Amino acid sequence: KESALSDKQNALEKLEEALAIKEQEVKNQRNYKEKLLTETKENEATFQGMLADLRRQYQTVESEIQSIERAIRAKLEGSDKLPQGGDVAFSWPVPSQYITAYFHDPDYPFRRIFEHAGIDIKAGQGTAVRAVAPGYVARAKRCGESWCYSYVMIIHGDGLSTVYGHLSQVSTSEDQFVARGDIIGYSGGIPGTAGAGPFVTGPHLHFESRINGIPVNPLNYLL
């Protein structure tokens, strides 16, 4: 009986030891999950803050484009310097016609922030960018920092305008007319380079076409 009692006591001690180990494992897992949850919440807060900042930057550029276009059209109202009527056709702004992101592309990486208002055309850093049609240079924004978005906006006839974004260099000036094919700047887009802005993943030209300030699909006008 004493031997059997001793065996039971030993078994009980082993069970208690196993239970203690198990309790410690559960405690460790709970602590890890709580830590992970805290870090996740902190990262989520940081992520949401970044999204909000990017939205503000986008809205700033968008508001600037729209307000400048309204002002320039009012200035040019009644002018016969912009061609009106007839079929509208744009030439391609860069030699490549390879599109990496389409108008309102569902796979656009920044779609959680804004709809893609143009098309992205593959172009190596420093590729010459040309005006797609005759027009008036309403904006030629130059940026020396990577977070700043360099772009050119040209006003055309029939309520049309075009925007050329992520430029590494701007080689035209505001308040002047340009002809189709004139070089207005050079492409950029490599993250961390001057004029690239925050919404880039690699070198390309962001190209927009607008009617009365509203973005429309550029492929409807490109030859």
Side-chain angles (χ1 to χ4, degrees):
K1 289 181 179 179
E2 288 179 356
S3 178
L5 184 61
S6 178
D7 290 341
K8 289 181 180 179
Q9 185 66 30
N10 290 336
L12 181 59
E13 289 176 355
K14 289 182 180 180
L15 286 174
E16 289 176 346
E17 183 180 357
L19 180 60
I21 294 173
K22 190 66 177 178
E23 287 177 346
Q24 187 61 45
E25 288 179 355
V26 171
K27 183 178 180 180
N28 291 341
Q29 290 179 1
R30 186 186 301 116
N31 291 339
Y32 174 75
K33 289 180 180 179
E34 289 176 355
K35 180 181 178 183
L36 187 62
L37 183 61
T38 300
E39 291 177 350
T40 301
K41 288 181 177 178
E42 289 175 353
N43 289 338
E44 179 66 17
T46 302
F47 178 66
Q48 291 300 331
M50 291 173 61
L51 285 183
D53 183 58
L54 289 173
R55 288 192 185 99
R56 281 193 296 270
Q57 291 185 54
Y58 171 76
Q59 288 300 328
T60 297
V61 173
E62 183 65 20
S63 298
E64 180 182 67
I65 289 174
Q66 292 184 5
S67 63
I68 290 174
E69 179 166 357
R70 286 193 297 268
I72 294 300
R73 287 202 179 279
K75 175 181 176 180
L76 295 177
E77 188 175 0
S79 170
D80 59 356
K81 295 182 178 180
L82 292 177
Q84 304 288 336
D87 294 333
V88 178
F90 293 153
S91 55
W92 284 77
V94 290
S96 170
Q97 296 184 13
Y98 185 85
I99 298 172
T100 57
Y102 288 85
F103 181 74
H104 287 188
D105 196 326
D107 297 322
Y108 183 60
F110 300 106
R111 199 177 185 213
R112 290 188 62 180
I113 304 172
F114 58 88
E115 284 283 5
H116 195 224
I119 60 174
D120 290 346
I121 308 172
K122 186 176 181 180
Q125 190 88 355
T127 300
V129 177
R130 300 176 183 273
V132 299
Y136 183 85
V137 180
R139 188 74 168 104
K141 184 172 182 178
R142 295 170 172 83
C143 294
E145 303 292 338
S146 62
W147 55 265
C148 183
Y149 180 64
S150 289
Y151 70 92
V152 169
M153 177 172 62
I154 300 177
I155 303 295
H156 309 282
D158 299 310
L160 282 165
S161 62
T162 51
V163 178
Y164 312 73
H166 306 305
L167 300 181
S168 60
Q169 182 180 341
V170 174
S171 56
T172 189
S173 300
E174 296 172 6
D175 298 325
Q176 71 170 3
F177 286 90
V178 292
R180 183 193 301 270
D182 284 353
I183 295 177
I184 57 173
Y186 295 86
S187 64
I190 292 179
T193 59
F199 310 107
V200 289
T201 55
H204 67 277
L205 172 69
H206 176 74
F207 176 70
E208 297 180 13
S209 59
R210 296 173 177 241
I211 295 182
N212 298 321
I214 300 174
V216 292
N217 193 346
L219 293 178
N220 294 335
Y221 301 94
L222 287 167
L223 288 173

